[in-house]
Amino acid sequence: MELDSKSPTGPIETRWDRHRFNLKLVNPANKRKHTILVVGTGLAGGAAAATLAELGYHVKSFCFQDSPRRAHSIAAQGGINAAKNYHNDGDSIYRLFYDTVKGGDFRARESNVYRLAQISVNIIDQCVAQGVPFAREYSGYLDNRSFGGAQVSRTFYARGQTGQQLLLGAYQALERQIGAGTVQMFPRTEMLDLIVIDGRARGIVTRDLITGRIESHTGDAVVLGTGGYGNVYYLSTNAKGSNATAIWRAHKRGALFANPCFTQIHPTCIPVSGEYQSKLTLMSESLRNDGRVWVPLQKGDKRPPNQIPEAERDYYLERRYPSFGNLVPRDVASRNAKFVCDEGRGVGETGLAVYLDFRDAIQRLGKNLIKERYGNLFDMYERITGEDPYSVPMRIYPAIHYVMGGLWVDYNLMSTIPGMYAVGEANFSDHGANRLGASALMQGLADGYFVLPNTIGDYLASNKLEKIGTDHPAVKEAEANVTCITKKLLEIKGTRSVDSYHRELGKIMWEYCGMSRTAEGLKTALGKIPALREQFWRDVKVLGNGEELNQSLEKAGRVADFFELAELMCLDALERNESCGGHFREEFQTPEGEAARDDERYSYVAAWGFRGVGNPPELNKEPLNFEYVHPSQRSYK
Ligand SMILES: Cc1cc2nc3c(=O)[nH]c(=O)nc-3n(C[C@H](O)[C@H](O)[C@H](O)COP(=O)(O)OP(=O)(O)OC[C@H]3O[C@@H](n4cnc5c(N)ncnc54)[C@H](O)[C@@H]3O)c2cc1C
């Protein structure tokens, strides 16, 4: 398939403005005649639904939680980037653009990233106007801190709960529209299929999670802001409910899936403690502003941290990367943690942890200031581990956190199915092979508040879209498909729980398609996953029935989709014979153990087409061109 990214050309500073000017507009009086279905109420979907309704469109908004404000975005801790240069420390739109293209290891589109950096400054203004309580300095200016991969302070934050505060802003904007009658809200409603008519997205099929009722909603365009799929690994920092079903089922209806193997492993999470753990907890990257990462110099040194003298500690990030120190990007920090643990220098009972130590910061700044900056994170750490991080260093280890892969979208955020858009973590995003910290919130809000509301009008104004009744054969076919999957899952009545299959799949993925990958390991995974998937469909035990609140059934559908997605992720990782960002193939590394890209052969977005479960998918390539930031070996030394 020929992929047209619709990326504008010409001077990068004016691309978005010129592009917007060339887009068709919908007359204000005509906007209310269009119905837009927005699935997801996180920062991306919530911002999109509120803004589209404010513009005058009729919006239907869906989420599976009981309230839109429980979307996973609420968990975001550390902050949101913007090139405001309030600190006068050399930041600019160009620098944010540069850092993001480089941070993503040259696997993102320059036009998109530049637009993201431009819009970043509008996001902060918009959120402040909504009343989001960003942290302020004594003078009253908004405060900033630093995140990985940047040498400036450009991260705006609200203690360790930035996502929650930003989501409350978007939620209030959404509620205002619900009150005005422009948004119809459907909580506890899960999208289970996409309705495609004459090649265009015209609706969705949903299941009411309380009553089990299967229903269809039709409209002129569909927007998926359904978040990321990190939970394919079972253990991740994502909310337990985060899943891939909406984007995966859209993929099965024809939307290409881009760079599925690009996953982000966050270096600072509370380590796994046992077999029956169901979730991992993030300790925000902001902690690396003041915390120092180290392990003992000697292998197998089991002394308590406070008894290890300074000369016998290895602050390995500061040693290896003196320019960026503890604030190297996540992929680099994670890999280094794995290296030192593989050398036998890991700490804690399992040896799969490194220290994040605040001793020096507390001595320098005082306990109160550290408490003010990170108090809620320290409390969370203490509640989970029983250790006081003010007096004993935190133990941390990398964990699955975010996915850079997702539905392929063009510059207008439209997928390969006309009329279907993807925003936020659900699309393959602007982050290339590695996302810099505090950029997901920026991207989700840029997509939802600023990009989509401009671009969607062009599609609506350019196409004649007849009304679609819910008795249309394509609607009936999609409904029958959903009913059939639900029935099939309930009828298996096997012996093993959904969770046990999910956990086993997660282990395969972590082992063979996790922090480091090899061709041999990926081939092993590609043997194991289909076998486990087949066993799941023969033997899974889903309790209850389909006409009630049934979380076992909900999970079963999501895990069934994870099985298919996991296979695609491994294929994508196997096909990409290079290392870039979070995709680290052991066969492709520099003599210093850094990711070795192969720009000649792999400077493209891999966009996969579905050809049936178990059949080899179709690989399409969107070549990437770099006119401004020339690909080089990333260095943070
Ligand atoms: C612990 C943690 C901390 C983080 N901290 C930061 C940070 O400090 N800074 C930063 O930039 N990023 C951070 N991130 C990443 C960031 O939070 C996410 O990438 C971002 O919030 C995703 O937003 P979203 O709107 O795309 O999706 P989400 O917030 O995941 O929302 C998804 C929405 O889709 C709905 N949905 C999903 N599937 C369906 C379906 N089938 N039917 C109906 N509804 C559906 C859900 O109900 C929900 O409303 C963090 C992530 C984690 C896990």
Side-chain angles (χ1 to χ4, degrees), residues 39-44 63-65 71-73 75-79 189-191 225-227 237 282 401-402 424-425 438-441:
V39 189
T41 58
L43 285 174
C63 69
F64 61 71
Q65 289 92 349
H72 156 71
S73 291
Q77 300 172 348
T189 306
E190 182 165 29
M191 168 188 161
T226 49
T237 62
L282 176 74
H401 177 64
Y402 178 88
E425 198 173 334
S439 321
L441 303 184

PDB file of all heavy atoms in Angstrom, residues 39-44 63-65 71-73 75-79 189-191 225-227 237 282 401-402 424-425 438-441, ligand 1:
ATOM      1  N   VAL A  39     -13.906   7.730  21.130  1.00  0.00           N
ATOM      2  CA  VAL A  39     -13.757   6.636  22.096  1.00  0.00           C
ATOM      3  C   VAL A  39     -12.531   6.938  22.958  1.00  0.00           C
ATOM      4  O   VAL A  39     -11.429   7.103  22.452  1.00  0.00           O
ATOM      5  CB  VAL A  39     -13.593   5.281  21.378  1.00  0.00           C
ATOM      6  CG1 VAL A  39     -13.658   4.145  22.395  1.00  0.00           C
ATOM      7  CG2 VAL A  39     -14.651   5.110  20.305  1.00  0.00           C
ATOM      8  N   GLY A  40     -12.750   7.030  24.265  1.00  0.00           N
ATOM      9  CA  GLY A  40     -11.658   7.340  25.188  1.00  0.00           C
ATOM     10  C   GLY A  40     -11.818   8.734  25.766  1.00  0.00           C
ATOM     11  O   GLY A  40     -12.134   9.691  25.054  1.00  0.00           O
ATOM     12  N   THR A  41     -11.623   8.806  27.073  1.00  0.00           N
ATOM     13  CA  THR A  41     -11.778  10.093  27.761  1.00  0.00           C
ATOM     14  C   THR A  41     -10.522  10.449  28.548  1.00  0.00           C
ATOM     15  O   THR A  41     -10.569  11.178  29.524  1.00  0.00           O
ATOM     16  CB  THR A  41     -12.965  10.038  28.741  1.00  0.00           C
ATOM     17  OG1 THR A  41     -12.701   8.964  29.663  1.00  0.00           O
ATOM     18  CG2 THR A  41     -14.279   9.826  28.040  1.00  0.00           C
ATOM     19  N   GLY A  42      -9.372   9.864  28.136  1.00  0.00           N
ATOM     20  CA  GLY A  42      -8.104  10.269  28.735  1.00  0.00           C
ATOM     21  C   GLY A  42      -7.754  11.658  28.237  1.00  0.00           C
ATOM     22  O   GLY A  42      -8.610  12.370  27.686  1.00  0.00           O
ATOM     23  N   LEU A  43      -6.510  12.035  28.415  1.00  0.00           N
ATOM     24  CA  LEU A  43      -6.160  13.394  28.003  1.00  0.00           C
ATOM     25  C   LEU A  43      -6.397  13.606  26.515  1.00  0.00           C
ATOM     26  O   LEU A  43      -6.876  14.666  26.106  1.00  0.00           O
ATOM     27  CB  LEU A  43      -4.710  13.682  28.380  1.00  0.00           C
ATOM     28  CG  LEU A  43      -4.547  13.920  29.880  1.00  0.00           C
ATOM     29  CD1 LEU A  43      -3.084  14.060  30.255  1.00  0.00           C
ATOM     30  CD2 LEU A  43      -5.315  15.169  30.323  1.00  0.00           C
ATOM     31  N   ALA A  44      -6.087  12.605  25.690  1.00  0.00           N
ATOM     32  CA  ALA A  44      -6.257  12.799  24.249  1.00  0.00           C
ATOM     33  C   ALA A  44      -7.738  12.813  23.864  1.00  0.00           C
ATOM     34  O   ALA A  44      -8.225  13.775  23.254  1.00  0.00           O
ATOM     35  CB  ALA A  44      -5.509  11.706  23.492  1.00  0.00           C
ATOM     36  N   CYS A  63     -16.277   5.617  27.311  1.00  0.00           N
ATOM     37  CA  CYS A  63     -15.144   5.079  28.070  1.00  0.00           C
ATOM     38  C   CYS A  63     -15.623   3.848  28.820  1.00  0.00           C
ATOM     39  O   CYS A  63     -16.826   3.673  29.038  1.00  0.00           O
ATOM     40  CB  CYS A  63     -14.566   6.106  29.036  1.00  0.00           C
ATOM     41  SG  CYS A  63     -15.636   6.526  30.409  1.00  0.00           S
ATOM     42  N   PHE A  64     -14.680   2.987  29.216  1.00  0.00           N
ATOM     43  CA  PHE A  64     -15.135   1.777  29.915  1.00  0.00           C
ATOM     44  C   PHE A  64     -15.203   1.969  31.422  1.00  0.00           C
ATOM     45  O   PHE A  64     -15.801   1.166  32.124  1.00  0.00           O
ATOM     46  CB  PHE A  64     -14.310   0.537  29.519  1.00  0.00           C
ATOM     47  CG  PHE A  64     -12.846   0.608  29.828  1.00  0.00           C
ATOM     48  CD1 PHE A  64     -12.388   0.543  31.133  1.00  0.00           C
ATOM     49  CD2 PHE A  64     -11.909   0.729  28.799  1.00  0.00           C
ATOM     50  CE1 PHE A  64     -11.027   0.600  31.414  1.00  0.00           C
ATOM     51  CE2 PHE A  64     -10.549   0.788  29.075  1.00  0.00           C
ATOM     52  CZ  PHE A  64     -10.112   0.733  30.384  1.00  0.00           C
ATOM     53  N   GLN A  65     -14.573   3.045  31.919  1.00  0.00           N
ATOM     54  CA  GLN A  65     -14.657   3.283  33.369  1.00  0.00           C
ATOM     55  C   GLN A  65     -16.027   3.852  33.742  1.00  0.00           C
ATOM     56  O   GLN A  65     -16.805   4.237  32.870  1.00  0.00           O
ATOM     57  CB  GLN A  65     -13.595   4.287  33.815  1.00  0.00           C
ATOM     58  CG  GLN A  65     -12.179   3.752  33.779  1.00  0.00           C
ATOM     59  CD  GLN A  65     -11.475   4.037  32.474  1.00  0.00           C
ATOM     60  OE1 GLN A  65     -12.077   4.452  31.491  1.00  0.00           O
ATOM     61  NE2 GLN A  65     -10.172   3.791  32.447  1.00  0.00           N
ATOM     62  N   ALA A  71      -9.885   7.761  33.547  1.00  0.00           N
ATOM     63  CA  ALA A  71      -9.015   7.253  32.473  1.00  0.00           C
ATOM     64  C   ALA A  71      -7.591   7.142  33.011  1.00  0.00           C
ATOM     65  O   ALA A  71      -7.194   7.875  33.923  1.00  0.00           O
ATOM     66  CB  ALA A  71      -9.055   8.197  31.284  1.00  0.00           C
ATOM     67  N   HIS A  72      -6.826   6.259  32.399  1.00  0.00           N
ATOM     68  CA  HIS A  72      -5.470   5.982  32.876  1.00  0.00           C
ATOM     69  C   HIS A  72      -4.587   7.238  32.951  1.00  0.00           C
ATOM     70  O   HIS A  72      -3.660   7.301  33.768  1.00  0.00           O
ATOM     71  CB  HIS A  72      -4.855   4.905  31.971  1.00  0.00           C
ATOM     72  CG  HIS A  72      -3.381   4.900  31.948  1.00  0.00           C
ATOM     73  ND1 HIS A  72      -2.639   4.485  33.024  1.00  0.00           N
ATOM     74  CD2 HIS A  72      -2.500   5.302  31.013  1.00  0.00           C
ATOM     75  CE1 HIS A  72      -1.353   4.613  32.727  1.00  0.00           C
ATOM     76  NE2 HIS A  72      -1.252   5.113  31.523  1.00  0.00           N
ATOM     77  N   SER A  73      -4.874   8.258  32.147  1.00  0.00           N
ATOM     78  CA  SER A  73      -4.066   9.495  32.191  1.00  0.00           C
ATOM     79  C   SER A  73      -3.940  10.047  33.599  1.00  0.00           C
ATOM     80  O   SER A  73      -3.007  10.781  33.916  1.00  0.00           O
ATOM     81  CB  SER A  73      -4.693  10.582  31.317  1.00  0.00           C
ATOM     82  OG  SER A  73      -4.589  10.270  29.965  1.00  0.00           O
ATOM     83  N   ALA A  75      -3.030   8.695  36.086  1.00  0.00           N
ATOM     84  CA  ALA A  75      -1.881   8.145  36.811  1.00  0.00           C
ATOM     85  C   ALA A  75      -0.590   8.904  36.536  1.00  0.00           C
ATOM     86  O   ALA A  75       0.400   8.713  37.230  1.00  0.00           O
ATOM     87  CB  ALA A  75      -1.688   6.680  36.433  1.00  0.00           C
ATOM     88  N   ALA A  76      -0.578   9.736  35.499  1.00  0.00           N
ATOM     89  CA  ALA A  76       0.685  10.385  35.118  1.00  0.00           C
ATOM     90  C   ALA A  76       1.188  11.242  36.265  1.00  0.00           C
ATOM     91  O   ALA A  76       0.444  12.007  36.861  1.00  0.00           O
ATOM     92  CB  ALA A  76       0.497  11.205  33.854  1.00  0.00           C
ATOM     93  N   GLN A  77       2.466  11.074  36.543  1.00  0.00           N
ATOM     94  CA  GLN A  77       2.995  11.695  37.748  1.00  0.00           C
ATOM     95  C   GLN A  77       3.832  12.933  37.458  1.00  0.00           C
ATOM     96  O   GLN A  77       3.586  14.023  37.958  1.00  0.00           O
ATOM     97  CB  GLN A  77       3.893  10.682  38.484  1.00  0.00           C
ATOM     98  CG  GLN A  77       3.172   9.413  38.892  1.00  0.00           C
ATOM     99  CD  GLN A  77       4.127   8.348  39.444  1.00  0.00           C
ATOM    100  OE1 GLN A  77       5.346   8.455  39.336  1.00  0.00           O
ATOM    101  NE2 GLN A  77       3.554   7.315  40.036  1.00  0.00           N
ATOM    102  N   GLY A  78       4.864  12.745  36.609  1.00  0.00           N
ATOM    103  CA  GLY A  78       5.985  13.687  36.611  1.00  0.00           C
ATOM    104  C   GLY A  78       5.762  15.042  36.004  1.00  0.00           C
ATOM    105  O   GLY A  78       6.168  16.061  36.574  1.00  0.00           O
ATOM    106  N   GLY A  79       5.137  15.130  34.836  1.00  0.00           N
ATOM    107  CA  GLY A  79       4.980  16.452  34.249  1.00  0.00           C
ATOM    108  C   GLY A  79       4.741  16.447  32.763  1.00  0.00           C
ATOM    109  O   GLY A  79       4.606  15.394  32.130  1.00  0.00           O
ATOM    110  N   THR A 189     -18.941   1.714  28.888  1.00  0.00           N
ATOM    111  CA  THR A 189     -19.330   1.241  27.555  1.00  0.00           C
ATOM    112  C   THR A 189     -18.058   0.924  26.783  1.00  0.00           C
ATOM    113  O   THR A 189     -17.204   1.792  26.640  1.00  0.00           O
ATOM    114  CB  THR A 189     -20.124   2.348  26.823  1.00  0.00           C
ATOM    115  OG1 THR A 189     -21.205   2.744  27.669  1.00  0.00           O
ATOM    116  CG2 THR A 189     -20.662   1.874  25.497  1.00  0.00           C
ATOM    117  N   GLU A 190     -17.936  -0.299  26.328  1.00  0.00           N
ATOM    118  CA  GLU A 190     -16.697  -0.715  25.668  1.00  0.00           C
ATOM    119  C   GLU A 190     -16.909  -0.892  24.171  1.00  0.00           C
ATOM    120  O   GLU A 190     -17.805  -1.618  23.745  1.00  0.00           O
ATOM    121  CB  GLU A 190     -16.195  -2.029  26.291  1.00  0.00           C
ATOM    122  CG  GLU A 190     -14.886  -2.488  25.680  1.00  0.00           C
ATOM    123  CD  GLU A 190     -14.173  -3.563  26.491  1.00  0.00           C
ATOM    124  OE1 GLU A 190     -14.861  -4.336  27.187  1.00  0.00           O
ATOM    125  OE2 GLU A 190     -12.931  -3.642  26.402  1.00  0.00           O
ATOM    126  N   MET A 191     -16.071  -0.226  23.394  1.00  0.00           N
ATOM    127  CA  MET A 191     -16.123  -0.416  21.946  1.00  0.00           C
ATOM    128  C   MET A 191     -15.522  -1.781  21.617  1.00  0.00           C
ATOM    129  O   MET A 191     -14.407  -2.081  22.021  1.00  0.00           O
ATOM    130  CB  MET A 191     -15.294   0.664  21.249  1.00  0.00           C
ATOM    131  CG  MET A 191     -15.060   0.370  19.790  1.00  0.00           C
ATOM    132  SD  MET A 191     -13.906   1.527  19.054  1.00  0.00           S
ATOM    133  CE  MET A 191     -13.425   0.594  17.603  1.00  0.00           C
ATOM    134  N   GLY A 225      -9.134   7.390  21.035  1.00  0.00           N
ATOM    135  CA  GLY A 225      -8.141   7.912  21.993  1.00  0.00           C
ATOM    136  C   GLY A 225      -8.080   6.913  23.121  1.00  0.00           C
ATOM    137  O   GLY A 225      -8.289   7.254  24.283  1.00  0.00           O
ATOM    138  N   THR A 226      -7.792   5.656  22.755  1.00  0.00           N
ATOM    139  CA  THR A 226      -8.019   4.546  23.687  1.00  0.00           C
ATOM    140  C   THR A 226      -6.760   4.088  24.417  1.00  0.00           C
ATOM    141  O   THR A 226      -6.772   3.038  25.068  1.00  0.00           O
ATOM    142  CB  THR A 226      -8.671   3.365  22.932  1.00  0.00           C
ATOM    143  OG1 THR A 226      -7.912   3.121  21.742  1.00  0.00           O
ATOM    144  CG2 THR A 226     -10.100   3.678  22.559  1.00  0.00           C
ATOM    145  N   GLY A 227      -5.686   4.874  24.316  1.00  0.00           N
ATOM    146  CA  GLY A 227      -4.513   4.608  25.150  1.00  0.00           C
ATOM    147  C   GLY A 227      -3.604   3.526  24.602  1.00  0.00           C
ATOM    148  O   GLY A 227      -3.761   3.058  23.468  1.00  0.00           O
ATOM    149  N   THR A 237       3.363  -0.628  34.238  1.00  0.00           N
ATOM    150  CA  THR A 237       2.953   0.483  35.106  1.00  0.00           C
ATOM    151  C   THR A 237       1.573   1.010  34.709  1.00  0.00           C
ATOM    152  O   THR A 237       1.050   1.929  35.332  1.00  0.00           O
ATOM    153  CB  THR A 237       3.947   1.649  35.005  1.00  0.00           C
ATOM    154  OG1 THR A 237       3.949   2.112  33.654  1.00  0.00           O
ATOM    155  CG2 THR A 237       5.351   1.241  35.410  1.00  0.00           C
ATOM    156  N   LEU A 282       5.220   2.826  39.138  1.00  0.00           N
ATOM    157  CA  LEU A 282       6.238   3.742  38.652  1.00  0.00           C
ATOM    158  C   LEU A 282       6.707   4.653  39.774  1.00  0.00           C
ATOM    159  O   LEU A 282       5.919   5.105  40.598  1.00  0.00           O
ATOM    160  CB  LEU A 282       5.628   4.616  37.547  1.00  0.00           C
ATOM    161  CG  LEU A 282       6.548   5.702  37.001  1.00  0.00           C
ATOM    162  CD1 LEU A 282       7.610   5.102  36.117  1.00  0.00           C
ATOM    163  CD2 LEU A 282       5.762   6.744  36.245  1.00  0.00           C
ATOM    164  N   HIS A 401       6.217   0.431  30.346  1.00  0.00           N
ATOM    165  CA  HIS A 401       5.567   1.663  30.779  1.00  0.00           C
ATOM    166  C   HIS A 401       4.710   2.328  29.695  1.00  0.00           C
ATOM    167  O   HIS A 401       3.660   2.900  29.978  1.00  0.00           O
ATOM    168  CB  HIS A 401       6.673   2.624  31.214  1.00  0.00           C
ATOM    169  CG  HIS A 401       6.199   3.968  31.634  1.00  0.00           C
ATOM    170  ND1 HIS A 401       5.396   4.151  32.739  1.00  0.00           N
ATOM    171  CD2 HIS A 401       6.400   5.203  31.116  1.00  0.00           C
ATOM    172  CE1 HIS A 401       5.141   5.446  32.886  1.00  0.00           C
ATOM    173  NE2 HIS A 401       5.714   6.100  31.903  1.00  0.00           N
ATOM    174  N   TYR A 402       5.158   2.280  28.462  1.00  0.00           N
ATOM    175  CA  TYR A 402       4.513   3.091  27.425  1.00  0.00           C
ATOM    176  C   TYR A 402       4.783   2.424  26.082  1.00  0.00           C
ATOM    177  O   TYR A 402       5.761   1.695  25.936  1.00  0.00           O
ATOM    178  CB  TYR A 402       5.147   4.494  27.456  1.00  0.00           C
ATOM    179  CG  TYR A 402       4.603   5.438  26.407  1.00  0.00           C
ATOM    180  CD1 TYR A 402       3.474   6.211  26.659  1.00  0.00           C
ATOM    181  CD2 TYR A 402       5.221   5.568  25.159  1.00  0.00           C
ATOM    182  CE1 TYR A 402       2.980   7.083  25.701  1.00  0.00           C
ATOM    183  CE2 TYR A 402       4.721   6.432  24.202  1.00  0.00           C
ATOM    184  CZ  TYR A 402       3.604   7.190  24.484  1.00  0.00           C
ATOM    185  OH  TYR A 402       3.111   8.055  23.540  1.00  0.00           O
ATOM    186  N   GLY A 424      -3.353  10.538  20.838  1.00  0.00           N
ATOM    187  CA  GLY A 424      -2.712  10.121  22.086  1.00  0.00           C
ATOM    188  C   GLY A 424      -1.894   8.854  21.905  1.00  0.00           C
ATOM    189  O   GLY A 424      -1.363   8.572  20.825  1.00  0.00           O
ATOM    190  N   GLU A 425      -1.809   8.079  22.986  1.00  0.00           N
ATOM    191  CA  GLU A 425      -0.947   6.893  22.952  1.00  0.00           C
ATOM    192  C   GLU A 425      -1.448   5.852  21.945  1.00  0.00           C
ATOM    193  O   GLU A 425      -0.695   4.968  21.533  1.00  0.00           O
ATOM    194  CB  GLU A 425      -0.846   6.295  24.371  1.00  0.00           C
ATOM    195  CG  GLU A 425       0.338   5.363  24.526  1.00  0.00           C
ATOM    196  CD  GLU A 425       0.571   4.885  25.962  1.00  0.00           C
ATOM    197  OE1 GLU A 425       0.171   5.591  26.918  1.00  0.00           O
ATOM    198  OE2 GLU A 425       1.173   3.814  26.122  1.00  0.00           O
ATOM    199  N   ALA A 438       7.765  13.083  29.982  1.00  0.00           N
ATOM    200  CA  ALA A 438       6.886  14.256  29.984  1.00  0.00           C
ATOM    201  C   ALA A 438       6.426  14.673  28.594  1.00  0.00           C
ATOM    202  O   ALA A 438       5.929  15.778  28.398  1.00  0.00           O
ATOM    203  CB  ALA A 438       7.536  15.429  30.718  1.00  0.00           C
ATOM    204  N   SER A 439       6.595  13.784  27.607  1.00  0.00           N
ATOM    205  CA  SER A 439       6.130  14.137  26.257  1.00  0.00           C
ATOM    206  C   SER A 439       4.839  13.446  25.865  1.00  0.00           C
ATOM    207  O   SER A 439       4.267  13.775  24.835  1.00  0.00           O
ATOM    208  CB  SER A 439       7.143  13.748  25.188  1.00  0.00           C
ATOM    209  OG  SER A 439       8.401  13.966  25.583  1.00  0.00           O
ATOM    210  N   ALA A 440       4.383  12.464  26.654  1.00  0.00           N
ATOM    211  CA  ALA A 440       3.139  11.781  26.276  1.00  0.00           C
ATOM    212  C   ALA A 440       1.957  12.688  26.567  1.00  0.00           C
ATOM    213  O   ALA A 440       1.020  12.791  25.767  1.00  0.00           O
ATOM    214  CB  ALA A 440       2.998  10.473  27.040  1.00  0.00           C
ATOM    215  N   LEU A 441       2.011  13.364  27.700  1.00  0.00           N
ATOM    216  CA  LEU A 441       0.906  14.272  28.033  1.00  0.00           C
ATOM    217  C   LEU A 441       0.878  15.399  27.009  1.00  0.00           C
ATOM    218  O   LEU A 441      -0.187  15.828  26.550  1.00  0.00           O
ATOM    219  CB  LEU A 441       1.093  14.830  29.449  1.00  0.00           C
ATOM    220  CG  LEU A 441       1.209  13.788  30.573  1.00  0.00           C
ATOM    221  CD1 LEU A 441       1.296  14.472  31.931  1.00  0.00           C
ATOM    222  CD2 LEU A 441       0.024  12.830  30.575  1.00  0.00           C
TER     223      LEU A 441
HETATM  224  C1  LIG B   1       2.263   5.547  35.965  1.00  0.00           C
HETATM  225  C2  LIG B   1       2.403   6.411  34.747  1.00  0.00           C
HETATM  226  C3  LIG B   1       2.903   7.690  34.861  1.00  0.00           C
HETATM  227  C4  LIG B   1       3.034   8.504  33.743  1.00  0.00           C
HETATM  228  N1  LIG B   1       3.537   9.758  33.883  1.00  0.00           N
HETATM  229  C5  LIG B   1       3.658  10.548  32.791  1.00  0.00           C
HETATM  230  C6  LIG B   1       4.158  11.873  32.918  1.00  0.00           C
HETATM  231  O1  LIG B   1       4.487  12.331  34.003  1.00  0.00           O
HETATM  232  N2  LIG B   1       4.260  12.622  31.801  1.00  0.00           N
HETATM  233  C7  LIG B   1       3.908  12.153  30.569  1.00  0.00           C
HETATM  234  O2  LIG B   1       4.009  12.892  29.598  1.00  0.00           O
HETATM  235  N3  LIG B   1       3.402  10.902  30.442  1.00  0.00           N
HETATM  236  C8  LIG B   1       3.277  10.091  31.505  1.00  0.00           C
HETATM  237  N4  LIG B   1       2.783   8.823  31.362  1.00  0.00           N
HETATM  238  C9  LIG B   1       2.226   8.413  30.062  1.00  0.00           C
HETATM  239  C10 LIG B   1       0.833   9.018  29.897  1.00  0.00           C
HETATM  240  O3  LIG B   1       0.167   9.013  31.132  1.00  0.00           O
HETATM  241  C11 LIG B   1      -0.033   8.278  28.890  1.00  0.00           C
HETATM  242  O4  LIG B   1       0.675   8.039  27.725  1.00  0.00           O
HETATM  243  C12 LIG B   1      -1.254   9.112  28.539  1.00  0.00           C
HETATM  244  O5  LIG B   1      -1.920   9.523  29.698  1.00  0.00           O
HETATM  245  C13 LIG B   1      -2.205   8.350  27.635  1.00  0.00           C
HETATM  246  O6  LIG B   1      -3.350   9.159  27.448  1.00  0.00           O
HETATM  247  P1  LIG B   1      -4.458   8.749  26.398  1.00  0.00           P
HETATM  248  O7  LIG B   1      -5.491   9.811  26.442  1.00  0.00           O
HETATM  249  O8  LIG B   1      -3.838   8.450  25.091  1.00  0.00           O
HETATM  250  O9  LIG B   1      -5.051   7.372  26.946  1.00  0.00           O
HETATM  251  P2  LIG B   1      -5.640   6.939  28.393  1.00  0.00           P
HETATM  252  O10 LIG B   1      -5.476   7.956  29.425  1.00  0.00           O
HETATM  253  O11 LIG B   1      -5.093   5.576  28.623  1.00  0.00           O
HETATM  254  O12 LIG B   1      -7.183   6.837  28.136  1.00  0.00           O
HETATM  255  C14 LIG B   1      -7.757   5.776  27.414  1.00  0.00           C
HETATM  256  C15 LIG B   1      -9.238   5.983  27.377  1.00  0.00           C
HETATM  257  O13 LIG B   1      -9.800   5.097  26.426  1.00  0.00           O
HETATM  258  C16 LIG B   1     -10.885   4.397  26.989  1.00  0.00           C
HETATM  259  N5  LIG B   1     -10.948   3.114  26.301  1.00  0.00           N
HETATM  260  C17 LIG B   1      -9.942   2.266  26.006  1.00  0.00           C
HETATM  261  N6  LIG B   1     -10.401   1.224  25.301  1.00  0.00           N
HETATM  262  C18 LIG B   1     -11.722   1.407  25.152  1.00  0.00           C
HETATM  263  C19 LIG B   1     -12.747   0.684  24.517  1.00  0.00           C
HETATM  264  N7  LIG B   1     -12.500  -0.454  23.861  1.00  0.00           N
HETATM  265  N8  LIG B   1     -14.010   1.171  24.599  1.00  0.00           N
HETATM  266  C20 LIG B   1     -14.286   2.332  25.252  1.00  0.00           C
HETATM  267  N9  LIG B   1     -13.350   3.078  25.850  1.00  0.00           N
HETATM  268  C21 LIG B   1     -12.081   2.610  25.788  1.00  0.00           C
HETATM  269  C22 LIG B   1     -10.601   4.316  28.459  1.00  0.00           C
HETATM  270  O14 LIG B   1     -11.815   4.144  29.144  1.00  0.00           O
HETATM  271  C23 LIG B   1      -9.976   5.705  28.690  1.00  0.00           C
HETATM  272  O15 LIG B   1     -10.991   6.641  28.852  1.00  0.00           O
HETATM  273  C24 LIG B   1       2.664   8.004  32.477  1.00  0.00           C
HETATM  274  C25 LIG B   1       2.165   6.707  32.356  1.00  0.00           C
HETATM  275  C26 LIG B   1       2.064   5.906  33.480  1.00  0.00           C
HETATM  276  C27 LIG B   1       1.608   4.505  33.304  1.00  0.00           C
END
